[in-house]
Amino acid sequence: MPPAIPAQQGGTRHLTGLVRFNAAPPASAEELLLACCGSRRWAERVAAHRPYPTLDALLAAADEAGYDLSGPDLGEALARETAALPHPDAPPAARTALGAALAAYEARFGHAFVISLDGVPAGERLDRVLAGIRSRLGNEREEERVVAAEELRRLARTRLTRALAGP
């Protein structure tokens, strides 16, 4: 007897990854997407184009929707972001430096600092964040919104890939 396909073994709880995402009710798919990028319009747009044949097709659609974020959509997504805190084992001076840099960034631009650290070794992340904040504090407001939008798009790709890789 051939092995049963996942749907024959009890419904969507056995489906994983992209198959589960494609089969999810629209509200569930949008909820997962909102955890990846906080723009409701982005989540609705990506969810509306299901089913996706491959993860690459989904990521391409997410990218396209990310490139098309309007000013208010980007503002909504950035408002839902929170700055990453340093590892609790980080030296107190590093935590203080990061806190001051994040406060300066948020005071200047009015939203949390976002940066994709995909592929950056754990031991280098704090330095990368501090360097990123320092370099981006010199940006003009509109220039920084472009940089933040690109970082948010990269974060959404990473988050979406991880969300679909999970159980």
Side-chain angles (χ1 to χ4, degrees):
M1 182 169 171
I5 60 173
Q8 293 173 325
Q9 295 176 347
T12 59
R13 69 188 167 123
H14 290 285
L15 300 176
T16 59
L18 185 62
V19 174
R20 178 181 287 174
F21 175 75
N22 282 333
S28 296
E30 289 171 18
E31 182 179 327
L32 179 139
L33 290 164
L34 279 170
C36 300
C37 175
S39 164
R40 183 156 300 283
R41 184 171 161 267
W42 178 87
E44 290 170 352
R45 181 175 170 185
V46 175
H49 289 92
R50 293 174 306 145
Y52 292 98
T54 64
L55 177 60
D56 286 342
L58 171 57
L59 295 175
D63 281 347
E64 182 180 336
Y67 289 129
D68 291 342
L69 288 177
S70 68
D73 295 331
L74 178 59
E76 176 187 30
L78 289 171
R80 292 185 181 187
E81 291 292 322
T82 56
L85 299 175
H87 190 277
D89 295 338
R95 289 196 306 268
T96 300
L98 181 59
L102 290 171
Y105 180 91
E106 290 181 20
R108 174 144 168 72
F109 297 112
H111 58 80
F113 178 75
V114 291
I115 188 170
S116 173
L117 297 172
D118 197 27
V120 177
E124 297 174 20
R125 290 180 177 204
L126 181 59
D127 290 338
R128 184 73 59 95
V129 170
L130 284 168
I133 293 170
R134 288 183 189 123
S135 71
R136 289 168 52 185
L137 275 171
N139 290 347
E140 295 298 323
R141 187 175 289 289
E142 284 308 309
E143 179 185 15
E144 181 54 25
R145 284 182 71 81
V146 170
V147 173
E150 175 62 16
E151 293 295 330
L152 192 62
R153 186 192 62 75
R154 291 175 62 210
L155 282 169
R157 283 181 65 88
T158 300
R159 291 168 178 168
L160 188 51
T161 301
R162 287 183 182 151
L164 294 182

